[in-house]
Amino acid sequence: MKLVLATHNKYKAKELQTFFTGLPFEVMTLEDMPDSIELREDGYTFNDNALQKARIVHQTTNLTVLADDSGLEVFYLNGRPGVFSARYSGAGATDESNNIKLLEEMRGVPPRRRRAQFRSVLAIVSDGMEKLTEGICSGFLGEQPRGTNGFGYDPLFIPDGFSRTYAELTAQEKNKISHRSRSFDAMRKMLEQGFLNG
Ligand code: ITT
C-alpha cells in the first residue's frame, strides 16, 4: 500500500522512513508528488496541526498519509516553545536562531530547573479514517549546543539515561528512544492490528 509522509522536513522524513522498515508500505514523500503541496498548520495543539497536515495531503493525493507535529516543551518556560518550536525565534527562524533564543531564555537557570521533553504526535489519515498517536522523550537542556547529528533542538537536549545530547547520539541510538519513535511504536501497533482495513 502506498503511504505519503506529509512533511517538508527532510530529517523527520528520514527518521519516519527508517521506522517503516519491514512494514508493507511503499513510503513516499512530498518530493514524489507531482505538484508542491503547502502544509498549513495554524492550530494551537500538536493534535490539530498533525491532523491538519495529514488531511491536506490526503485530500490532494487520495492516498494514505502520515504527518508528524512535534516540539520541545521546557517546564521552566511553561511548555514553550511547544507547538511553536519550528518558528520560535520568529519569521525566518532557523534551527540555529531557535537554539540561540532558547539558550538565552534559559541563561543562568540551574540544571535541576532545566527539565524538558520532546513530544511527537503522529496523525494517519486514510479514506474515512483518522488516528493519532503520541510519544514523549524526557530529559533536560544543556547549557550550550553539543553535537552535529540530527536537526532542530537536538544539540541542546540530553535525554534521560544519557550524558550526550540527541545531536551526539547516532541516528540508531536516537531512533531507539526518541519521542518520534515512541509515537511510531504506538502507530505500528495500530497498523499491525489492521486499522487501515477497517
Ligand atoms: P513539517 O511541518 O513540514 O513536518 P516542521 O519542522 O515545520 O516540518 P513542526 O511544525 O512539527 O515541523 O515543528 C517541529 C519543530 O520541533 C522542528 O522544526 C524542531 O525545531 C523541533 N523538533 C521536533 N522534533 C525534533 C527532533 O527530533 N529533534 C530536534 N528538534 C525537533
Side-chain angles (χ1 to χ4, degrees):
M1 181 189 283
K2 288 187 173 166
L3 179 144
V4 187
L5 300 177
T7 178
H8 285 298
N9 181 322
K10 63 177 196 277
Y11 299 96
K12 265 191 198 179
K14 195 161 174 219
E15 290 184 2
L16 291 168
Q17 273 166 325
T18 307
F19 300 151
F20 271 99
T21 308
L23 287 172
F25 289 93
E26 182 190 335
V27 180
M28 305 161 85
T29 67
L30 293 180
E31 288 181 5
D32 301 316
M33 299 296 115
D35 300 310
S36 73
I37 304 175
E38 201 192 322
L39 297 180
R40 238 186 19 256
E41 44 178 313
D42 46 24
Y44 287 93
T45 65
F46 293 109
N47 287 14
D48 285 349
N49 285 339
L51 269 178
Q52 218 176 14
K53 289 188 267 194
R55 282 176 185 156
I56 293 167
V57 178
H58 177 64
Q59 279 154 15
T60 317
T61 63
N62 225 17
L63 296 168
T64 300
V65 178
L66 183 81
D68 162 287
D69 202 65
S70 46
L72 179 65
E73 300 171 319
V74 180
F75 296 98
Y76 182 80
L77 301 175
N78 297 319
R80 281 187 288 122
V83 279
F84 302 109
S85 289
R87 21 195 172 131
Y88 193 41
S89 52
T94 62
D95 288 348
E96 200 191 350
S97 65
N98 287 336
N99 282 336
I100 289 172
K101 173 166 176 173
L102 184 55
L103 278 180
E104 264 165 24
E105 290 196 308
M106 294 298 289
R107 191 183 303 157
V109 177
R112 68 190 157 77
R113 301 192 69 191
R114 298 177 81 88
R115 297 288 303 160
Q117 64 185 22
F118 267 114
R119 187 189 300 267
S120 156
V121 169
L122 292 172
I124 193 161
V125 173
S126 183
D127 277 340
M129 290 199 231
E130 298 186 330
K131 280 280 186 204
L132 294 164
T133 59
E134 184 178 272
I136 285 176
C137 180
S138 303
F140 65 98
L141 293 180
E143 313 230 339
Q144 72 237 340
R146 282 193 347 233
T148 53
N149 298 331
F151 70 102
Y153 300 92
D154 280 353
L156 299 186
F157 181 73
I158 301 162
D160 286 343
F162 288 81
S163 52
R164 287 172 292 155
T165 66
Y166 258 3
E168 291 175 310
L169 302 184
T170 63
Q172 290 93 319
E173 285 174 319
K174 178 182 173 189
N175 286 342
K176 257 190 215 155
I177 54 138
S178 80
H179 51 305
R180 190 162 295 105
S181 69
R182 288 175 177 164
S183 192
F184 194 85
D185 283 345
M187 184 61 72
R188 183 190 295 109
K189 284 201 185 89
M190 263 175 7
L191 294 173
E192 286 171 349
Q193 284 162 6
F195 139 76
L196 288 175
N197 307 323

